[in-house]
Amino acid sequence: MGPAQTRTRARRRAVPWLVIGLWVAVLAAVGPFASRLADVRHDRVTDYLPASADSTRVARIQDRLPGGQTTELVLVYHRDGGLTAADRATAGRQIAEVAGRHALTATPRGTPSRDGTTLLYPVTSNEPGSDEKKRDALVEDVRGVAHSGNGLTVQVGGPAALATDAGAVYQSLGGPLLYTTVAVVAVLLVLIYRSPLLWLVPLVVAGVADYLSMGVAYGLHQAFGTTVTGMTSGVMTILVFGAGTDYALLLVSRYREELRRTERPYDAMRAALHGCGPAVLASSGTVAAGLLCLLAADLNSSRGMGPLGTVGVLCALAAMLTLLPAVLVVLGRRVFWPLVPAHGSPPTARRSLFAAMGGSAGRRPLTVLAGGAVLLGALALGALNLPGSLKQQDSFVDRPEAVAAMETLARAYPERSAQPIDVITPAGRADATLTAARGVPGVAEAHRGRTGDGWTEISVTAADPPQSAGETATVGELRRRLPDSYVGGPSAQQIDLRDTSGRDRLVVVPIVLLSVLLILIVLLRSLVAPLILTAAVVAVWGAALGLGGLVFTPLLGFEGTDPGLGLLSFVFLVALGVDYGIFLVHRMREESQGGAEPAAAALTALRTTGGVIASAGLVLAATFAVLTAMGLVPLVELGFVIAVGVLLDTFLVRTYLVTSASVALGRTVWWPGRLSRAPEPPGPRREEAVTAG
């Protein structure tokens, strides 16, 4: 062995270890920041509200008023047969104890219901301010004092209690979401790889990528104020494991192929990265670009989802294209045991499901296209059955105490609202605003609250139940008649969430479609293929929403649809669907460049990548399906729509429809690129041309 060969072998041994060492250094550097992400994650109302809405301004001004943000609770005492004198005495003692333990803005006054079954005590305090931990501590302490007994039911509700209960669900997402995601991915990888060791490698690398993403997300928050909520951080973890495992499946599959052709793992990995690396880079770049379009949204939660989702995808990409190859090369062929791909061995010959599916698509492409279009269109009609906007109290899968209290109040006090409408007006116009508010139709009462920093707070009670059509009309009328004031509070916040979500759809959806289409045109050097892929993922989105309409209310009993569901599911399904399309079409283009006819190129691409795409689709769908086990209806709805959409995309659109369209269009699928033109027939050889002359 010569000196050059010795140096080459030494480099081959050193490079993987150097990459692993660099990752260890990176993790050591980001470790302190990753552990702080939970400290900057908040689920306050202002973290989800639209940035420019009235209700957002109200919440921010309230933070600056004396005592900061007001914590509003409602204590509800109820007995089915009617409250007794002893019940009222118990309520009085408990309210007195709460007032003695906490600084309240006013002495709570009880309001009995007309039927005598319920007694309502509003409790308001500035003690916690805008500190979520202090708010939660106050709520839990009040609940500890106001306990049920002897047939008397005591419930603590109101906006602060509802926020505490929602926060408890979001806080529980971190651990259970991560553990459930890891368990689901582990089971699927064991089934896919059928190896006692191989499944662990991409899973550990995905965990490393998730840790890195948390550190980067914390840095984004510190540098740019990026909103971090329980939902956005949870989806970031889902994307790291889902997208990262997808990239790992594609790389490992190609690496296994190359190990049969190449003697040394290092060289086989180089060939694998050269073969599938461009497709992985292109697909991840498309997903990142699609997610970044969410920065155009006005809804804080949606806008924060963009950069955090992008961080998750890019961290997964970096880990799967550097750390994963390094670890696999160090472990060598034995990592595939017991199905070790020996050098020179032929691939296992077996009838491929995707070869059979491709064969049927190749024989009758137009029939398959028509049938698939009819099926997707029929499913999309189910979207007409989607329920209206989700009310705040209906956003929990399991009914917490705050929601139970609101339901009790709605039954016992049908003539009044159980939660206030907050009006913030310039201090100099307080009297005029108070008079005008009392004259608005639908207003039961209004009174002056805190004053400070040039503003006065006015609390308005509507005559209609919370988030009903009547109260919605009252909020709208208050905003119309009080142009110099801001109208907020829980009901106004839900109205702003709904209205802003509709605006964001009109703005962000075209940006996503245009961005993804332009990227595909550049990558595929074609107009037709990108249009096919884009139309296919839009059809999948419509069908997935339609399935949601058939399931959410009829089967799951959900009372509404989250206002942001349409936009978020669209962005994820378009970006992730195009992701799989790039895997398939990139291989199709590779076969076409090698001289294969269009139909043969499409069928070969499906046969060679179908299994990997199916495995990747199953993993990604399963990771998003984890959200359906969480305790919030918006997460369940989002997880369901994306999981179903990914499965439709994987097993119907990619396998049948895109392949059928490619076969039916032939070379036109690459128009106007070079591959759309038929190759010129070979001319006569030079000797033959001379003789003919």
Side-chain angles (χ1 to χ4, degrees), residues 230-419:
M231 182 181 228
T232 56
S233 60
V235 170
M236 182 180 71
T237 293
I238 291 287
L239 280 172
V240 170
F241 280 91
T245 305
D246 284 1
Y247 303 149
L249 287 168
L250 193 68
L251 177 64
V252 171
S253 175
R254 194 63 174 258
Y255 178 50
R256 191 196 297 265
E257 288 182 32
E258 298 299 337
L259 283 173
R260 299 183 188 278
R261 305 189 188 106
T262 310
E263 181 180 0
R264 300 185 183 281
Y266 181 88
D267 297 328
M269 182 57 73
R270 286 188 61 182
L273 287 171
H274 184 267
C276 71
V280 173
L281 285 170
S283 61
S284 60
T286 305
V287 174
L291 291 173
L292 283 177
C293 292
L294 284 170
L295 287 171
D298 192 35
L299 205 62
N300 277 348
S301 53
S302 297
R303 191 166 53 186
M305 185 80 74
L308 261 67
T310 301
V311 164
V313 170
L314 295 183
C315 288
L317 172 71
M320 295 305 169
L321 289 188
T322 58
L323 181 59
L324 178 63
V327 174
L328 289 175
V329 169
V330 167
L331 294 176
R333 297 176 187 271
R334 60 185 177 272
V335 75
F336 289 93
W337 185 88
L339 304 175
V340 179
H343 177 227
S345 64
T348 304
R350 59 176 179 267
R351 177 64 173 168
S352 168
L353 169 65
F354 293 95
M357 297 172 75
S360 63
R363 288 190 298 271
R364 295 179 295 276
L366 294 179
T367 302
V368 171
L369 271 176
V374 170
L375 175 60
L376 291 175
L379 291 176
L381 291 176
L384 299 175
N385 195 47
L386 285 170
S389 293
L390 189 70
K391 295 181 180 179
Q392 193 175 19
Q393 65 265 29
D394 296 329
S395 60
F396 300 89
V397 175
D398 298 320
R399 190 180 65 167
E401 181 179 341
V403 172
M406 294 177 69
E407 292 174 349
T408 301
L409 290 175
R411 291 190 300 268
Y413 300 87
E415 74 284 355
R416 62 169 292 165
S417 175
Q419 58 189 21

Side-chain angles (χ1 to χ4, degrees), residues 113-345:
S113 63
R114 291 178 179 177
D115 60 7
T117 63
T118 309
L119 186 60
L120 158 68
Y121 277 95
V123 173
T124 305
S125 173
N126 295 331
E127 190 176 87
S130 57
D131 190 312
E132 292 178 68
K133 293 182 179 179
K134 290 183 179 179
R135 177 204 67 199
D136 295 343
L138 172 63
V139 172
E140 294 306 322
D141 186 72
V142 171
R143 283 176 170 168
V145 172
H147 53 271
S148 305
N150 298 322
L152 174 66
T153 301
V154 185
Q155 298 164 329
V156 178
L162 199 62
T164 293
D165 290 341
V169 176
Y170 278 116
Q171 288 297 326
S172 70
L173 290 181
L177 180 65
L178 177 61
Y179 305 146
T180 307
T181 302
V182 170
V184 167
V185 173
V187 169
L188 289 174
L189 287 177
V190 170
L191 295 175
I192 291 168
Y193 287 138
R194 291 172 291 169
S195 167
L197 177 60
L198 181 58
W199 66 273
L200 190 59
V201 179
L203 191 64
V204 170
V205 173
V208 170
D210 185 48
Y211 194 68
L212 174 63
S213 71
M214 290 192 291
V216 176
Y218 176 81
L220 282 179
H221 174 80
Q222 294 300 103
F224 304 105
T226 303
T227 299
V228 181
T229 67
M231 182 181 228
T232 56
S233 60
V235 170
M236 182 180 71
T237 293
I238 291 287
L239 280 172
V240 170
F241 280 91
T245 305
D246 284 1
Y247 303 149
L249 287 168
L250 193 68
L251 177 64
V252 171
S253 175
R254 194 63 174 258
Y255 178 50
R256 191 196 297 265
E257 288 182 32
E258 298 299 337
L259 283 173
R260 299 183 188 278
R261 305 189 188 106
T262 310
E263 181 180 0
R264 300 185 183 281
Y266 181 88
D267 297 328
M269 182 57 73
R270 286 188 61 182
L273 287 171
H274 184 267
C276 71
V280 173
L281 285 170
S283 61
S284 60
T286 305
V287 174
L291 291 173
L292 283 177
C293 292
L294 284 170
L295 287 171
D298 192 35
L299 205 62
N300 277 348
S301 53
S302 297
R303 191 166 53 186
M305 185 80 74
L308 261 67
T310 301
V311 164
V313 170
L314 295 183
C315 288
L317 172 71
M320 295 305 169
L321 289 188
T322 58
L323 181 59
L324 178 63
V327 174
L328 289 175
V329 169
V330 167
L331 294 176
R333 297 176 187 271
R334 60 185 177 272
V335 75
F336 289 93
W337 185 88
L339 304 175
V340 179
H343 177 227
S345 64

